[in-house]
Amino acid sequence: MQKLKDIFDNLWRQYTHENPEALQIYNLLNNHNEIVINDHIAFRTFDDKRVNVDKLGRFFEKLGYKCCGEYEFTQKKLFAKHYEHTQDAKQPKIFISELQTAKFSPFLQQTVKKCVDNISQHLLNSVELLYSGACFGELDYDVYNKLLIESEYAAWMYAFGYRANHFTVFVNELNKFNSVQSVNALLKQNNFTLNTAGGEIKGTPDEYLEQSSTMAGKVMIKFKQGTFEVLNSYYEFAKRYLDKSGKLYQGFIAKSADKIFESTNIIVK
Ligand code: NI
């Protein structure tokens, strides 16, 4: 378990370095005597088989994780899987999504291929890939902006690469703030901005999962043309409810504007 802890520590250090708000919120909860447990850690990638969901998932499978659900996000053109630890339920779930590049322009496809071509073979075979950042060589601000027009996800991957996209506080494990409503109220009292798109709370107890998140912060990124401010990521909060079988729901809800896709039911336990 030490190796897993080292990976999560590296990811957390990198994430909070880039998202100082997340660390402030983590400390705020600590100051209220809360012990923060992670519900899940989310990763993004491309569907190139050198780096796709299955490839990244294998790093976690070797560390005791198992795939327990698959998701399709049609509007954003993503496919995702979630992994759970087989021995220790307190370990965060791992959520990995990949961009379905074939559904985008030749420009995006070529850019992604070039990016992946630039990742060293050593890194591709190492768990360090998970926190290697934008390991694609020099970044071009024009390419970033062109990707942004097609897909926020592709542009984010281009600028930030391999790292935790977000950590998620498991609200059930908090004592005083054990509802998403009370966490949101605490954040607002302390001048953090919540993402209100689709309402402050996404999901309902009937769907067994409620989530909220902060707004993505901005960071300065070095491109070949200079240093520019780009949107980074957010901190998430999740509360889970008992499902029909009386077990705490462990899946995710993939929602797009016009459709709800539940897990495609690969629940292997
Ligand atoms: Ni999430």
Side-chain angles (χ1 to χ4, degrees):
M1 223 63 101
Q2 185 57 37
K3 190 161 185 199
L4 201 53
K5 187 181 179 305
D6 291 344
I7 293 168
F8 292 154
D9 285 350
N10 279 324
L11 288 162
W12 176 248
R13 257 195 306 276
Q14 183 185 38
Y15 172 73
T16 51
H17 179 73
E18 298 276 320
N19 298 280
E21 269 205 346
L23 189 58
Q24 289 162 17
I25 293 167
Y26 178 89
N27 289 336
L28 177 66
L29 289 166
N30 279 174
N31 292 341
H32 281 88
N33 298 318
E34 297 285 12
I35 295 167
V36 175
I37 304 277
N38 292 307
D39 176 76
H40 65 273
I41 304 174
F43 295 87
R44 292 179 169 190
T45 191
F46 300 118
D47 61 356
D48 185 308
K49 65 176 186 301
R50 293 171 289 177
V51 291
N52 64 8
V53 166
D54 288 340
K55 175 70 190 285
L56 301 192
R58 274 200 290 281
F59 290 129
F60 289 102
E61 283 167 347
K62 282 185 190 150
L63 293 163
Y65 276 84
K66 181 156 84 172
C67 176
C68 292
E70 295 189 1
Y71 311 86
E72 204 52 63
F73 296 75
T74 40
Q75 206 183 36
K76 292 190 167 166
K77 303 180 176 106
L78 304 174
F79 170 74
K81 289 186 178 181
H82 98 257
Y83 297 79
E84 294 173 29
H85 201 277
T86 51
Q87 310 291 324
D88 183 357
K90 288 266 185 216
Q91 295 293 342
K93 284 174 274 299
I94 302 294
F95 185 88
I96 314 175
S97 58
E98 67 187 21
L99 191 69
Q100 296 171 318
T101 53
K103 297 181 178 172
F104 290 91
S105 71
F107 166 77
L108 184 144
Q109 293 178 42
Q110 283 153 17
T111 304
V112 167
K113 185 179 178 302
K114 257 189 267 171
C115 283
V116 180
D117 286 348
N118 279 340
I119 306 175
S120 74
Q121 198 56 46
H122 164 76
L123 210 47
L124 286 173
N125 294 320
S126 161
V127 76
E128 288 164 40
L129 176 67
L130 294 170
Y131 43 88
S132 59
C135 49
F136 314 129
E138 194 177 38
L139 299 176
D140 184 318
Y141 193 53
D142 296 334
V143 171
Y144 171 80
N145 281 309
K146 222 171 146 183
L147 290 174
L148 198 53
I149 296 168
E150 278 196 72
S151 159
E152 170 278 329
Y153 185 107
W156 187 92
M157 264 310 289
Y158 181 72
F160 295 101
Y162 295 96
R163 62 183 64 233
N165 173 264
H166 60 268
F167 277 72
T168 304
V169 175
F170 188 30
V171 173
N172 299 52
E173 289 288 328
L174 300 176
N175 285 313
K176 207 157 106 196
F177 299 97
N178 70 349
S179 69
V180 176
Q181 288 85 347
S182 61
V183 172
N184 287 353
L186 175 71
L187 297 182
K188 285 190 282 187
Q189 272 161 26
N190 287 275
N191 299 318
F192 293 102
T193 312
L194 293 168
N195 183 350
T196 54
E200 262 176 27
I201 299 176
K202 282 83 171 164
T204 64
D206 288 346
E207 294 167 301
Y208 316 127
L209 177 62
E210 291 178 307
Q211 287 176 284
S212 71
S213 71
T214 58
M215 288 298 281
K218 286 178 181 153
V219 290
M220 301 303 284
I221 297 271
K222 197 167 170 279
F223 294 90
K224 79 173 187 208
Q225 294 90 340
T227 302
F228 297 94
E229 196 175 62
V230 299
L231 263 189
N232 191 0
S233 196
Y234 49 83
Y235 202 21
E236 196 171 79
F237 312 90
K239 169 127 186 185
R240 295 182 178 276
Y241 291 86
L242 299 180
D243 65 17
K244 287 202 182 75
S245 68
K247 286 193 191 129
L248 202 61
Y249 179 66
Q250 296 296 322
F252 293 82
I253 301 164
K255 255 190 193 170
S256 64
D258 55 346
K259 247 181 172 168
I260 297 173
F261 282 83
E262 286 276 339
S263 148
T264 47
N265 301 325
I266 303 193
I267 304 292
V268 207
K269 293 238 171 178

